[in-house]
Amino acid sequence: INMFDQFCKGNNLLLIEDNAHGAGGEVNGKSLGENGDISFSSPHKILNINSGGVLWLKNPKGILKMDLEPCPITIKQYINQYLLKTSPFFRSWLKRLLFKRPHYEKNTPTMDKVLIDYKIDNSSLNILKNADWSTIREKRQASYKKWKNFAIENGLQPVFSDFDNMANPWCFPAYTQNHDESVKWIKWGWKNRINIFSWPSLPREVCIESNESYNRWQRLICFEIT
């Protein structure tokens, strides 16, 4: 981040920080998502909230404020936030009972949907304001390390050998030997109430034109951490 900052300042550029999966992490004593001239974060991917993306501006003067309606809560979001906050076992059992297994072996389930602009709902805002990021980070790091040891013991290759001690990991990613093995692990996770998914969804032209990218996608699985 220091290198990027120096380069932008030296070339009269704005630094845009895309902190899509690192909410709650820190670098150089500063929160991720507060390092660019413009920064984006997605705490809803870490916290159990219905909505909540963050736009951070180093110089917010002259920014037009939009008058938006609060984000509506769907039945599925209500179930996720209020009914699945109990024990991990019950949450996994209820999820399997109410929802079908996503076909993560296909290159579509993680594809972003077109969203309507809303402001964060009050329930999600309260959770975000009161989040204890230090405790959350500690728990997620412990979960990451647990899955890392599990992966190594089962012949999987961790994508990263280590991570910064102030990182707040979103998931634990690992490589399998091939796509068939990836599917085996995804099915194993659903059977054992563990969320294992592929990521990301690649554009169609990448799947067709870039064998290297598509082959890498076929071998990449992610273990959910909480």
Side-chain angles (χ1 to χ4, degrees):
I1 193 67
N2 294 334
M3 181 179 67
F4 296 150
D5 188 42
Q6 292 173 9
F7 178 84
C8 289
K9 287 178 178 177
N11 291 276
N12 195 29
L13 300 171
L14 291 176
L15 175 60
I16 300 176
E17 179 190 10
D18 182 1
N19 182 40
H21 299 97
E26 295 182 8
V27 61
N28 300 330
K30 184 186 290 187
S31 296
L32 290 175
E34 297 181 2
N35 291 276
D37 296 290
I38 303 170
S39 298
F40 302 93
S41 293
S42 300
H44 73 278
K45 296 177 181 176
I46 302 291
L47 302 172
N48 183 33
I49 57 179
N50 300 313
S51 61
V54 175
L55 168 64
W56 187 89
L57 303 168
K58 182 177 289 186
N59 182 14
K61 294 181 180 179
I63 297 299
L64 177 65
K65 293 186 177 180
M66 295 180 290
D67 185 20
L68 300 173
E69 293 291 324
C71 183
I73 300 177
T74 66
I75 293 177
K76 185 175 180 179
Q77 287 173 325
Y78 180 86
I79 291 173
N80 281 333
Q81 182 161 352
Y82 297 104
L83 299 185
L84 302 187
K85 287 197 302 185
T86 54
S87 70
F89 179 85
F90 178 73
R91 183 170 64 243
S92 299
W93 175 83
L94 190 59
K95 191 173 183 180
R96 282 169 52 86
L97 180 66
L98 298 176
F99 307 117
K100 293 182 179 180
R101 180 179 75 81
H103 292 285
Y104 288 123
E105 59 269 34
K106 298 181 180 179
N107 186 38
T108 51
T110 58
M111 190 169 290
D112 291 334
K113 298 177 177 62
V114 177
L115 300 177
I116 301 174
D117 288 330
Y118 293 108
K119 67 180 178 182
I120 189 171
D121 63 276
N122 289 330
S123 174
S124 298
L125 182 60
N126 288 332
I127 294 174
L128 179 57
K129 284 183 175 181
N130 295 300
D132 183 353
W133 286 112
S134 178
T135 300
I136 293 170
R137 187 168 56 237
E138 182 178 334
K139 289 182 178 179
R140 295 184 72 87
Q141 286 188 3
S143 180
Y144 183 101
K145 292 175 181 177
K146 179 193 75 172
W147 284 122
K148 179 181 178 180
N149 292 334
F150 175 87
I152 293 173
E153 291 171 359
N154 286 274
L156 300 172
Q157 177 188 349
V159 173
F160 304 105
S161 58
D162 206 351
F163 59 87
D164 189 89
N165 61 1
M166 295 304 292
N168 190 28
W170 170 57
C171 69
F172 171 76
Y175 288 121
T176 62
Q177 294 294 321
N178 51 54
H179 189 53
D180 288 340
E181 186 182 3
S182 296
V183 174
K184 182 196 76 173
W185 279 109
I186 291 170
K187 291 181 177 179
W188 176 87
W190 184 258
K191 180 180 179 180
N192 291 277
R193 297 179 292 276
I194 297 167
N195 191 23
I196 301 176
F197 53 96
S198 61
W199 186 86
S201 291
L202 299 174
R204 177 178 172 81
E205 58 270 21
V206 173
C207 297
I208 296 174
E209 298 173 4
S210 177
N211 288 332
E212 182 179 352
S213 296
Y214 186 61
N215 290 341
R216 183 181 292 268
W217 173 84
Q218 289 186 311
R219 295 174 49 238
L220 178 63
I221 59 174
C222 301
F223 291 77
E224 182 181 39
I225 60 178
T226 57

